[in-house]
């Protein structure tokens, strides 16, 4: 064999080996990227599951606290069946002393609790005339006023009194 043929053969062989090595390297690099992506997805899922577990453990603690509170309330007789509800929906023009008395009654004591939903107080002349006329007829008598006299303020009060049954 001539020198030229030997060099061409060795060059061809080196080229084939280099091509094979490049092929195996590219396959290995692709496999590495694929496995790295899978690992990232698995780590993300693992972190997500850990967060869910932590949230569930927190929720279990809160539920246990609520159950302990409910059991303690039940032991003290604080059941919904032991309380009477009185709904309040008052719209009336009032004088200052009557308003002070109503606001004093809208507090909580050991025998009853007041749960306010809505309260609005404004000058009596600022309410809608048609609405004020209807409210003034029935509500002024309830507040202890003459229906002929207008109040200083107009009160809108909604809420619930919870009274303990004995």
């Amino acid at each position: 064999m001539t020198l030229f043929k030997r060099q061409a053969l060795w060059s061809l062989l080196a080229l084939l080996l280099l091509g094979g090595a490049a092929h195996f390297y590219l396959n290995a690099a692709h496999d590495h990227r694929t496995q790295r992506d899978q690992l990232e997805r698995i780590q993300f899922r693992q972190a997500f599951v850990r967060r869910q577990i932590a949230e569930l453990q927190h929720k279990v603690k809160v539920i246990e606290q609520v159950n302990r509170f409910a059991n303690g309330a039940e032991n003290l007789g604080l059941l919904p069946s032991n309380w009477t509800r009185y709904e309040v929906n008052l719209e009336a023009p009032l004088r200052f002393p009557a308003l002070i008395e109503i606001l004093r009654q809208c507090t909580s004591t050991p025998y009853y609790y007041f749960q306010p939903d809505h309260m609005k107080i404004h000058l009596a002349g600022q309410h809608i005339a048609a609405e004020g006329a209807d409210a003034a007829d029935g509500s002024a008598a309830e507040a202890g006023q003459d229906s002929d006299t207008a109040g200083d303020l107009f009160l809108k009060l909604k809420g619930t009194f919870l009274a303990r049954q004995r």
Side-chain angles (χ1 to χ4, degrees):
M1 247 195 222
T2 66
L3 183 62
F4 180 71
K5 285 184 180 180
R6 265 192 219 162
Q7 285 179 349
L9 186 61
W10 283 109
S11 296
L12 183 63
L13 185 61
L15 195 59
L16 286 174
L17 287 175
L18 185 62
H23 172 74
F24 288 118
Y25 171 76
L26 291 175
N27 281 342
H30 179 265
D31 291 344
H32 174 71
R33 277 194 306 270
T34 303
Q35 288 179 354
R36 187 183 61 214
D37 292 344
Q38 286 178 347
L39 180 63
E40 288 176 2
R41 282 193 298 269
I42 289 171
Q43 288 173 340
F44 176 77
R45 288 179 186 164
Q46 184 180 23
F48 179 74
V49 168
R50 284 184 181 154
R51 282 192 304 271
Q52 282 186 324
I53 289 171
E55 287 177 16
L56 287 175
Q57 289 172 341
H58 177 71
K59 288 178 182 179
V60 165
K61 287 179 184 177
V62 169
I63 289 171
E64 288 173 350
Q65 288 174 345
V66 168
N67 287 338
R68 281 194 302 271
F69 175 78
N71 290 338
E74 186 176 323
N75 292 338
L76 293 173
L78 300 176
L79 298 171
S81 60
N82 293 346
W83 294 83
T84 302
R85 297 175 63 91
Y86 298 100
E87 299 296 328
V88 176
N89 187 2
L90 178 65
E91 294 185 21
L94 301 171
R95 297 234 179 253
F96 285 109
L99 177 66
I100 290 170
E101 181 63 23
I102 288 173
L103 293 178
R104 187 191 61 75
Q105 291 174 0
C106 293
T107 59
S108 296
T109 69
Y111 303 106
Y112 69 87
Y113 298 94
F114 182 68
Q115 295 177 329
D117 292 329
H118 174 77
M119 182 173 74
K120 184 175 182 181
I121 302 172
H122 56 82
L123 293 176
Q126 294 179 352
H127 67 280
I128 300 171
E131 187 178 292
D134 294 337
D137 292 336
S139 303
E142 290 175 8
Q145 300 180 2
D146 295 328
S147 59
D148 299 330
T149 61
D152 299 321
L153 301 169
F154 191 79
L155 172 69
K156 288 185 179 183
L157 177 66
K158 291 183 183 181
T160 305
F161 277 100
L162 298 172
R164 184 179 290 184
Q165 297 175 356
R166 294 184 181 201

